[in-house]
Amino acid sequence: MSEDLLVQRLRDRDESAMTLFYEKYSAALYGVILRIVKKEEIAEDVLQESLVKIWNSFQAYDASKGRLFTWVLNVSRNLAIDKIRSRQYRVGTRTQPIEESAALRQAATPTFRPEHIGVQEMTNKLAPEQKQIIDLLYFGGFTQSEVAEELNLPLGTVKTRARAAIKVLAKLIR
């Protein structure tokens, strides 16, 4: 089928023409999208979004400005770029499920004991009010809100003392 006939059928909202369009262009579009987003499942989603957008906005295609493939490639490429710029994508690529973590597959050496790092001993060098907060937060498993409630302090005070304590500990570690 010629490109002109395909364009006309798509303008006429012929759903079978969309099937032909998919067969003709989807592999190339998927390849371009995958190079941008780098993950197959995301590329599949972006391809699907692209096809829906192409179908819904096909009246915007102007054959006098370029070939159909160029137009659909730009639509798909722009959606892929929008995806990688999205906050959801950026956050998703920074974190990975714990099941996929390389650390999970590596056994700790039998002699490794976290307390040997010495951080808990370093807290003895903190001011008493800072030590109390760090002990509850990091060794007691409390949240900042829980520490504030436990010690009957304003949440802002807990945050300030924790931040100051962490700065002192950072200097001690260096």
Side-chain angles (χ1 to χ4, degrees):
M1 171 183 301
S2 74
E3 186 173 292
D4 293 336
L5 183 55
L6 180 61
V7 168
Q8 188 53 50
R9 288 182 60 192
L10 287 169
R11 284 194 195 287
D12 293 340
R13 310 293 289 162
D14 181 349
E15 291 179 15
S16 63
M18 193 62 184
T19 302
L20 294 170
F21 171 87
Y22 179 83
E23 290 169 359
K24 187 171 183 175
Y25 296 115
S26 65
L29 296 176
Y30 177 79
V32 169
I33 293 168
L34 182 60
R35 268 187 254 130
I36 295 170
V37 299
K38 311 268 191 275
K39 290 188 176 184
E40 290 182 9
E41 61 275 2
I42 294 173
E44 291 168 3
D45 289 345
V46 173
L47 176 61
Q48 183 68 34
E49 290 172 31
S50 299
L51 294 171
V52 170
K53 184 168 185 164
I54 290 164
W55 176 254
N56 289 332
S57 63
F58 198 78
Q59 298 306 320
Y61 170 63
D62 183 355
S64 68
K65 292 183 179 179
R67 296 189 52 220
L68 175 62
F69 180 73
T70 305
W71 182 73
V72 298
L73 183 65
N74 284 328
V75 169
S76 300
R77 185 175 111 331
N78 291 342
L79 282 173
I81 291 168
D82 289 347
K83 177 61 88 175
I84 63 172
R85 287 180 178 165
S86 73
R87 177 170 165 68
Q88 177 188 4
Y89 179 86
R90 290 191 319 266
V91 170
T93 57
R94 276 189 271 161
T95 59
Q96 63 178 327
I98 191 78
E99 305 84 41
E100 296 175 17
S101 172
L104 189 65
R105 295 185 292 273
Q106 296 173 346
T109 62
T111 58
F112 175 75
R113 298 188 40 152
E115 59 271 15
H116 288 175
I117 296 171
V119 174
Q120 197 159 12
E121 289 76 27
M122 283 185 210
T123 63
N124 293 330
K125 296 178 182 172
L126 295 172
E129 65 273 2
Q130 291 175 339
K131 181 181 181 345
Q132 186 180 32
I133 288 174
I134 294 298
D135 285 346
L136 290 172
L137 284 172
Y138 295 98
F139 304 115
F142 284 59
T143 65
Q144 289 179 335
S145 298
E146 292 169 339
V147 170
E149 190 176 309
E150 177 76 18
L151 300 178
N152 198 24
L153 292 171
L155 180 59
T157 300
V158 170
K159 290 180 178 188
T160 300
R161 288 180 184 173
R163 191 177 316 111
I166 290 170
K167 285 181 180 179
V168 170
L169 290 171
K171 287 180 183 174
L172 291 172
I173 290 172
R174 288 186 198 133

